[in-house]
Amino acid sequence: MKLGTSAIIGGTLFALAIFVGLFAPWLAHTDPVMGANLMNAEEPPSWTWWFGTDAQGRDIYSRVVHGARISLTVGIVSQLVNSVIGVTLGLTAGYWGGWWDDVVNGLTNLMLAIPSLIFALAIMAVLGPGLTSLLIALGLTNWSFTCRIARASTLSLKSQGYVQAARVLGYGDLRIMITQLLPNMVGPIIVIGTLGMGGAVLAEASLSFLGLGIRPPYPSWGSMLSEARDQITTAPWLSVFPGLAIFLTVLGLNLLGDGLRDVLDPQSRSRRA
Amino acid sequence: MTAAPLIEVEDLRIDLDDGARHVAAVEGVSFRIDRGETFGLVGESGCGKSITALALIGLLRRPLSVAAGAIRFEGREIQGLSAAEQRALRGNRIAMIFQEPMTALNPVSPVGRQIAEMFVLHKGKSWREANQLAVEALANVRVPAPERRVKDYPHQLSGGMRQRVMIAIALACDPDLLIADEPTTALDVTVQAEIIELMRNLCAERGTAILMISHDLGLVANVCRRVGVMYAGRIVEERGSDDIFRACAHPYTQGLVDSLPRLGSRAALGRSRLREIAGVVPAIADFPSGCRFNPRCAQATEICRTTAPETTWLGAGGLVRCHHHA
Ligand SMILES: Nc1ncnc2c1ncn2[C@@H]1O[C@H](COP(=O)(O)OP(=O)(O)O)[C@@H](O)[C@H]1O
Ligand code: SF4
Ligand SMILES: [Mg+2]
């Protein structure tokens, strides 16, 4: 298994983001919410204030660092929920076929027809802002690609000798799905999941920017951008650093996803062979 | 009074129904296998051997289905069992190995785990115990250094080794019947002989009955005490293995015998090709009326084209279905 350059660069960026998120309390200079001090309001970036400060004198660097926690939690958890839903639906639909397959296909098509951000927006409008609502809204609206891939993989794997053999050896349906089918489709599922995680980070930023996600004063990258909106010309650092954090994280996840695809996805592997 | 057979197939008919047509792929097939006995089904590719085997373990799926007849395992009708009861038989009391050792193993699971799964599934063992038993099972099929080999993935093993692993999986739960469907067709000749020998010895030691399926009459007759010759979905002759070579009764069987390479004819092989039966097995939809072998049979007469031959009983439990049998 050889990782390409894009997987390595992407992996490094993502690992860096995870590291920052995990160790945020130690990396931050001040408390991201309470550390306001009007004496230091709107300082541009300097040796003391690496990323500058905002109108209330809060350290932007500390807020970006803490924002990583929220943005990554939303990205990872919501994508995990999506993956679990997508795999469960796609695998069972492909395996059992029949009316269940029709139902899942209908649902998938519906999800694909509605832009997932619009759908998430609607859910957020009902549930109200907050971390839990974000996780629910983003976790329920982006499983259709995973579902498609899981279903297609199941259909092609179902005729494999080892799946037939498992049936002959007395495996039940559930055991076949878990031991024979699932492990043989993890590659493409991980690829889709990685790309989806990038999408979720962006979606969180968008929803928070619109005031529907994480609300100020809590620092998610999206909510920081939202707050910085009015000072984009007077204090550009308020927008630049959270924007850069989003950009690098999403870029990292996309590079990682593309790089993993080359290694893990058997289809693109055979295409190259 | 004779003991109940291990498995008994009576007048089995398998239908192929894909909406457009409804035809019998297998018809009037009957045979029985006693405990510890070895029985072979032989015939060219497409004669219905594999689907008969699938019917035996209750795994025919659309468009194929058992349309008539009975399959009894230890006197119990397979068709009458619940799905869970059938699963409890499969892999546990009736096991099966296939032609393709390359594809019959899960590529992303270590072979030891695949063996161990059988003990967990059918014998209720813990994974700890099962892993231990898997090492023993690998040792039993003469895989060297089994403690290390259990961690290998299928792609790290040769074809012969993989087929040994398949045998280890199949025999893990000490089944009463092992169905071997073309178990060595994909392997080269020397490995073939080793695998057959291994399978035969292990089954003989444990008293496991074998249903051996192959297009190779020589192989089947070598392993099995009795042989059923199948053609186009029917058993056309059933004999003791020795009788087949000494005095087979059906023209199709004669054709199979004639197409075998004979001892001492090796030198001649280079010059003249083996005699083969002219023509091919017809597709199910194109089965001819009368005796299904008639388009390829040198002895065919008018009656062969109109009337299916009845069963004629021969000595020593043999039978043949031919109007002009020897
Ligand atoms: N799933 C299936 N759908 C339709 N026809 C099938 C299917 N499986 C087998 N057949 C047909 O049934 C006949 C017997 O097949 P098979 O039992 O595999 O033959 P054998 O094992 O003797 O070579 C063949 O004509 C084959 O084309
Ligand atoms: S019944 Fe007729 S066609 Fe069929 S095998 Fe016998 S002689 Fe040949
Ligand atoms: Mg076959």
Side-chain angles (χ1 to χ4, degrees):
Chain A
M1 187 147 119
K2 252 182 94 181
L3 289 173
T5 333
S6 71
I8 291 170
I9 297 175
T12 309
L13 282 172
F14 183 51
L16 188 72
I18 296 269
F19 176 84
V20 168
L22 278 179
F23 297 101
W26 292 274
L27 293 171
H29 293 161
T30 64
D31 185 284
V33 180
M34 306 309 287
N37 183 349
L38 291 175
M39 302 288 289
N40 311 317
E42 301 217 6
E43 293 275 354
S46 66
W47 280 117
T48 334
W49 310 106
W50 292 359
F51 294 176
T53 63
D54 63 11
Q56 288 113 60
R58 292 176 303 190
D59 178 31
I60 296 299
Y61 163 74
S62 303
R63 284 175 66 75
V64 167
V65 162
H66 273 275
R69 286 202 146 180
I70 294 177
S71 295
L72 289 175
T73 305
V74 173
I76 293 169
V77 174
S78 70
Q79 183 50 47
L80 275 180
V81 174
N82 280 316
S83 297
V84 170
I85 295 175
V87 167
T88 308
L89 291 181
L91 189 55
T92 51
Y95 187 80
W96 281 316
W99 66 268
W100 176 238
D101 192 26
D102 295 338
V103 168
V104 171
N105 263 332
L107 268 177
T108 314
N109 286 331
L110 192 73
M111 296 300 291
L112 284 171
I114 308 170
S116 56
L117 195 61
I118 303 286
F119 201 171
L121 215 89
I123 296 181
M124 291 301 292
V126 175
L127 296 179
L131 183 62
T132 320
S133 324
L134 255 184
L135 293 178
I136 295 174
L138 295 178
L140 295 182
T141 50
N142 199 24
W143 46 263
S144 40
F145 290 108
T146 309
C147 180
R148 281 262 157 117
I149 296 280
R151 180 174 174 276
S153 307
T154 304
L155 289 180
S156 76
L157 291 172
K158 225 164 57 162
S159 59
Q160 290 289 317
Y162 53 87
V163 179
Q164 306 292 329
R167 216 166 270 146
V168 168
L169 294 170
Y171 284 42
D173 288 351
L174 199 61
R175 192 177 290 263
I176 290 181
M177 289 189 228
I178 292 171
T179 65
Q180 314 294 95
L181 297 172
L182 189 57
N184 282 289
M185 62 173 78
V186 282
I189 298 297
I190 286 178
V191 171
I192 295 285
T194 312
L195 297 171
M197 223 179 275
V201 169
L202 266 184
E204 181 277 326
S206 313
L207 288 173
S208 297
F209 182 79
L210 296 174
L212 283 166
I214 305 294
R215 297 289 284 272
Y218 297 101
S220 91
W221 296 335
S223 68
M224 293 175 73
L225 281 181
S226 175
E227 278 186 282
R229 193 160 28 173
D230 300 332
Q231 292 128 287
I232 185 113
T233 47
T234 53
W237 58 89
L238 296 184
S239 322
V240 165
F241 291 103
L244 206 60
I246 295 171
F247 168 71
L248 289 177
T249 307
V250 175
L251 176 73
L253 283 165
N254 285 349
L255 285 175
L256 183 63
D258 276 344
L260 287 178
R261 191 203 311 272
D262 294 339
V263 188
L264 293 176
D265 192 336
Q267 272 176 343
S268 71
R269 197 185 309 165
S270 64
R271 230 180 286 130
R272 274 183 309 160
Chain B
M1 199 192 104
T2 52
L6 180 64
I7 197 158
E8 188 176 24
V9 177
E10 206 177 288
D11 225 5
L12 175 69
R13 194 176 102 207
I14 298 174
D15 276 5
L16 172 72
D17 182 2
D18 55 8
R21 61 220 168 104
H22 188 105
V23 276
V26 164
E27 197 173 58
V29 163
S30 304
F31 58 86
R32 53 179 278 170
I33 307 174
D34 291 322
R35 275 188 181 282
E37 206 200 3
T38 49
F39 180 74
L41 275 180
V42 68
E44 289 161 291
S45 176
C47 284
K49 309 181 296 292
S50 295
I51 59 176
T52 302
L54 284 179
L56 252 53
I57 53 175
L59 274 182
L60 280 183
R61 291 288 176 263
R62 278 177 306 152
L64 297 160
S65 63
V66 172
I71 300 162
R72 283 184 287 271
F73 183 74
E74 293 183 320
R76 289 195 299 164
E77 180 108 28
I78 297 254
Q79 295 289 109
L81 299 178
S82 71
E85 287 173 317
Q86 288 194 7
R87 275 204 305 276
L89 281 187
R90 292 200 281 271
N92 189 22
R93 312 289 309 280
I94 308 178
M96 186 161 171
I97 53 178
F98 312 87
Q99 174 171 355
E100 281 297 333
M102 306 300 159
T103 57
L105 291 167
N106 187 347
V108 298
S109 177
V111 294
R113 199 192 151 84
Q114 300 188 50
I115 302 171
E117 188 102 34
M118 297 303 289
F119 297 112
V120 174
L121 172 58
H122 291 298
K123 300 295 181 203
K125 302 283 185 201
S126 68
W127 274 104
R128 216 188 135 80
E129 279 177 290
N131 286 328
Q132 206 56 48
L133 290 167
V135 175
E136 280 172 40
L138 261 196
N140 286 339
V141 293
R142 322 269 188 272
V143 168
E147 342 35 58
R148 266 192 293 120
R149 283 297 180 194
V150 284
K151 300 193 189 76
D152 282 359
Y153 288 86
H155 69 89
Q156 291 169 286
L157 303 176
S158 67
M161 279 297 160
R162 278 188 249 196
Q163 198 58 308
R164 280 169 199 263
V165 171
M166 281 311 299
I167 294 175
I169 293 175
L171 296 182
C173 297
D174 238 331
D176 299 292
L177 175 66
L178 175 69
I179 303 175
D181 190 351
E182 309 269 7
T184 57
T185 304
L187 303 173
D188 68 49
V189 185
T190 46
V191 182
Q192 214 172 71
E194 281 171 29
I195 296 289
I196 292 293
E197 197 57 27
L198 176 73
M199 193 181 82
R200 194 161 53 172
N201 289 341
L202 287 175
C203 288
E205 277 168 27
R206 299 153 179 240
T208 310
I210 298 179
L211 170 58
M212 171 107 177
I213 293 175
S214 178
H215 65 282
D216 183 343
L217 177 61
L219 187 67
V220 168
N222 181 18
V223 174
C224 301
R225 197 173 65 84
R226 284 183 307 123
V227 174
V229 178
M230 258 184 115
Y231 185 77
R234 289 176 178 158
I235 289 189
V236 294
E237 179 167 6
E238 186 188 320
R239 304 292 294 274
S241 297
D242 302 334
D243 297 337
I244 288 266
F245 291 103
R246 199 155 2 97
C248 67
H250 197 281
Y252 179 61
T253 315
Q254 189 62 53
L256 291 178
V257 170
D258 289 344
S259 64
L260 285 175
R262 287 185 178 275
L263 231 60
S265 71
R266 290 248 168 81
L269 266 177
R271 280 180 283 120
S272 67
R273 284 175 53 89
L274 293 172
R275 267 201 290 159
E276 280 175 8
I277 312 168
V280 290
V281 183
I284 299 168
D286 309 327
F287 283 161
S289 58
C291 171
R292 288 175 178 174
F293 189 52
N294 82 66
R296 300 172 73 187
C297 183
Q299 278 128 278
T301 58
E302 197 45 45
I303 188 173
C304 303
R305 283 181 266 276
T306 55
T307 316
E310 293 296 321
T311 304
T312 310
W313 300 97
L314 307 168
L319 64 85
V320 64
R321 289 193 180 90
C322 169
H323 293 297
H324 310 295
H325 64 84

